[in-house]
Amino acid sequence: MTEARVHDVQPAIPGPPRYQFARVIFALIAREMATRYSRGSGGYLWAVVTPSLQIFVMSFVFALMFRTPSLGSSFILFYTTGYLPFHMYHSIQLDVMGAVKYNRSLMQFPAVTPLDAILSRTILAFLTHIVITTVILTGAILSTDTPINLDLAKMSQAMLTAAFLGLGVGALNCVIIAFVPTWERLWIIMTTPLFIISAILFLYEEAPPVFQAMLWYNPLVHVTATMRAGVFGAYQAAFVELIYVWAIASVAAIVGLYMARRHRSHLVNPRYR
């Protein structure tokens, strides 16, 4: 009878706990918020105040230099519609690029992977910038008399495209940095002119034809133009091809996330350290 009872009792099948992936992502987001936004006075409020002050200062400078913006009559609204999608992309790609670097100690635990760090930082940055965009854009609209016709579909397309592009570029750079540490500094230097050539301070149609031919290949030009088309009803932005931007973002994201999963051991314990 003892032998029969032994055979009747089946060993527990080992496996990951249910919803482990979601729990890890949530824990990393909570940790990121606690460490990033709880330091000093202001906390999370500074995430909104900082870009607001930047927009105000730049708009004031432009108002002194030029009489009227390219669209409407408010420099604040014109600059805001170009800067916010660029800021969404730029912040997400920087956060994702450093996701493994700043969470490497946690990845010594088997449950935490580079993909978890990348996705958690993307989600937190995206949600934060949705709040930033809502607050700043609402303030800019209320402070101007410019006639607007909001197209929420185009505005959402612009911000989602900017976020996905940031995820793809950031994930790809995150892997490259693990193998080539100097790439982080080189990338920052090489992309410094992006602020100028992303049609934030001007319209694509205002550039000389030769310059337009080069600008078209900058995916951020399509993103900023889509955002402005969603705010200024009279602006059509016929040159925009978001499929082109999504193609670049998709390739970068697929390659970056795949390489992050394939080379997890190197990302967690890089040989150059």
Side-chain angles (χ1 to χ4, degrees):
M1 180 177 294
T2 302
E3 184 178 355
R5 288 179 179 177
V6 171
H7 287 288
D8 290 339
V9 178
Q10 298 294 329
I13 299 176
R18 294 183 63 186
Y19 310 117
Q20 175 177 289
F21 175 76
R23 289 202 297 268
V24 170
I25 294 293
F26 179 80
L28 289 175
I29 292 175
R31 175 182 178 273
E32 193 79 21
M33 292 187 66
T35 56
R36 177 179 297 189
Y37 299 118
S38 296
R39 297 173 181 173
S41 58
Y44 195 83
L45 181 62
W46 279 110
V48 179
V49 172
T50 300
S52 300
L53 291 176
Q54 291 174 343
I55 289 174
F56 175 78
V57 172
M58 294 296 291
S59 300
F60 178 75
V61 172
F62 293 149
L64 295 178
M65 296 174 59
F66 306 101
R67 292 184 178 181
T68 57
S70 301
L71 288 175
S73 59
S74 171
F75 283 100
I76 294 180
L77 185 59
F78 177 75
Y79 180 68
T80 296
T81 52
Y83 179 76
L84 286 176
F86 174 84
H87 191 244
M88 169 77 84
Y89 157 79
H90 185 67
S91 298
I92 289 182
Q93 69 95 14
L94 283 180
D95 284 351
V96 173
M97 187 167 63
V100 173
K101 178 180 178 181
Y102 293 105
N103 291 282
R104 187 166 284 131
S105 59
L106 293 178
M107 295 178 194
Q108 303 303 322
F109 298 98
V112 182
T113 68
L115 291 182
D116 297 329
I118 289 173
L119 294 178
S120 63
R121 277 205 159 193
T122 301
I123 294 172
L124 177 59
F126 176 75
L127 295 177
T128 300
H129 283 84
I130 289 299
V131 175
I132 292 173
T133 299
T134 302
V135 172
I136 295 179
L137 191 57
T138 300
I141 291 174
L142 294 177
S143 65
T144 180
D145 296 328
T146 300
I148 58 174
N149 183 19
L150 296 182
D151 188 335
L152 296 180
K154 288 185 178 180
M155 295 168 64
S156 300
Q157 285 180 349
M159 300 308 289
L160 286 172
T161 304
F164 188 43
L165 183 63
L167 167 62
V169 174
L172 190 58
N173 283 333
C174 181
V175 176
I176 296 176
I177 291 171
F179 292 92
V180 186
T182 55
W183 177 252
E184 182 175 5
R185 294 182 180 179
L186 291 175
W187 177 256
I188 293 175
I189 294 173
M190 290 189 301
T191 55
T192 299
L194 271 182
F195 180 84
I196 300 175
I197 62 175
S198 295
I200 298 174
L201 309 178
F202 59 89
L203 292 179
Y204 170 84
E205 292 83 356
E206 295 177 335
V210 176
F211 195 34
Q212 286 183 12
M214 295 184 291
L215 282 179
W216 192 92
Y217 292 97
N218 178 3
L220 290 173
V221 172
H222 300 260
V223 175
T224 55
T226 301
M227 185 67 173
R228 284 187 169 132
V231 175
F232 299 95
Y235 182 56
Q236 299 299 320
F239 72 92
V240 169
E241 291 290 348
L242 288 184
I243 295 179
Y244 163 72
V245 185
W246 277 85
I248 294 177
S250 298
V251 172
I254 292 172
V255 174
L257 295 176
Y258 171 76
M259 296 298 288
R261 181 178 180 181
R262 179 179 178 83
H263 297 284
R264 172 186 175 181
S265 59
H266 184 84
L267 267 65
V268 175
N269 298 295
R271 288 188 292 271
Y272 63 84
R273 286 198 306 165

